[in-house]
Amino acid sequence: MSKTTVHLVRHGEVYNPKKMLYGRMPGYHLSSRGRSMAAVTAQFFAGRDVTYLAASPLERAQETAAPIAEVTGLEIQTREDIIEAGNTFEGLRTKGWRSQLLHPVRWRHMLNPFEPSWGEAYVDICERMCAAVEDARDKAEGHEAVMVSHQLPIVMVQRTVLGQRLPHAPWNRECDLASVTSLLFEDNQVTDIFYSSPAQEI
């Protein structure tokens, strides 16, 4: 029986002084705190049997993967299928009393929170992420794989593995910055899931 582990890492903190929802927009890099988070999380993989390393093409994911590459000696494979979820509200301020979502022109995008109607459908995110996990498992069979992605795509995998409905309240997510969600496989079946937050003290 082959045992494989696929680790899903969320990127570290992003420098975002304007508090925008940046989504897939280019030019959003890790903050100094985010770089520290990435360095600490990389140490989580020191001495582990990691044979495959991949990251979303977005800068913050690539920058989080860089110290993991140094620790493991692996090259980063860039994967479009683990990119951030698409979102209609990219480039807008979406939190606080200055939120641009308070303008009625945006309301037509918020009719169905169960899909959700403001962005990429939960089921589509789930399908591409779960396929990526299966591919990483194949590539690292008998060893460990690491993929650096984003909060919502990782949460879609978590909820699928735990048998939970994909629609959910965002404030109930367990996916901190620079956290690690580890999926344990025996052959091609997930047998357990673990969550770690190595950088939580930063």
Side-chain angles (χ1 to χ4, degrees):
M1 181 176 291
S2 176
K3 294 186 177 182
T4 309
T5 302
V6 178
H7 304 281
L8 301 177
V9 178
R10 185 185 174 192
H11 62 80
E13 182 185 80
V14 173
Y15 180 69
N16 181 23
K18 294 184 179 179
K19 307 297 182 185
M20 297 295 181
L21 194 159
Y22 40 77
R24 296 179 177 179
M25 295 171 61
Y28 282 86
H29 298 266
L30 294 182
S31 64
S32 58
R33 179 170 176 256
R35 291 192 294 273
S36 295
M37 288 177 164
V40 169
T41 297
Q43 291 305 311
F44 179 87
F45 299 106
R48 301 186 73 113
D49 186 24
V50 179
T51 60
Y52 179 74
L53 172 62
S56 155
L58 297 174
E59 292 96 335
R60 57 193 183 271
Q62 293 284 320
E63 291 164 3
T64 300
I68 302 175
E70 292 180 10
V71 165
T72 60
L74 297 171
E75 292 187 7
I76 302 168
Q77 307 300 314
T78 300
R79 299 191 63 130
E80 292 283 345
D81 53 359
I82 60 174
I83 198 169
E84 177 65 284
N87 196 305
T88 302
F89 301 134
E90 284 181 8
L92 301 179
R93 186 180 179 117
T94 59
K95 295 181 180 179
W97 66 273
R98 295 176 61 192
S99 170
Q100 290 170 281
L101 300 187
L102 298 176
H103 195 290
V105 72
R106 318 282 182 207
W107 295 352
R108 62 188 175 90
H109 296 296
M110 295 183 278
L111 297 176
N112 183 3
F114 296 101
E115 186 177 4
S117 53
W118 56 79
E120 185 179 6
Y122 290 138
V123 66
D124 292 340
I125 303 169
C126 182
E127 286 178 358
R128 64 176 170 84
M129 280 296 293
C130 288
V133 167
E134 288 294 328
D135 184 65
R137 181 192 58 78
D138 286 343
K139 286 181 165 60
E141 186 172 0
H143 306 278
E144 300 182 44
V146 177
M147 293 199 292
V148 182
S149 185
H150 308 267
Q151 185 186 56
L152 182 53
I154 294 172
V155 168
M156 292 294 94
V157 176
Q158 291 174 341
R159 296 186 71 82
T160 298
V161 169
L162 295 172
Q164 299 172 342
R165 297 173 65 246
L166 298 183
H168 63 285
W171 50 86
N172 287 334
R173 295 173 182 170
E174 186 177 47
C175 192
D176 293 337
L177 291 166
S179 62
V180 183
T181 296
S182 302
L183 307 175
L184 279 61
F185 286 85
E186 290 187 2
D187 293 331
N188 62 349
Q189 297 294 319
V190 178
T191 58
D192 218 335
I193 179 172
F194 294 98
Y195 176 81
S196 308
S197 189
Q200 65 181 344
E201 300 301 324
I202 296 177

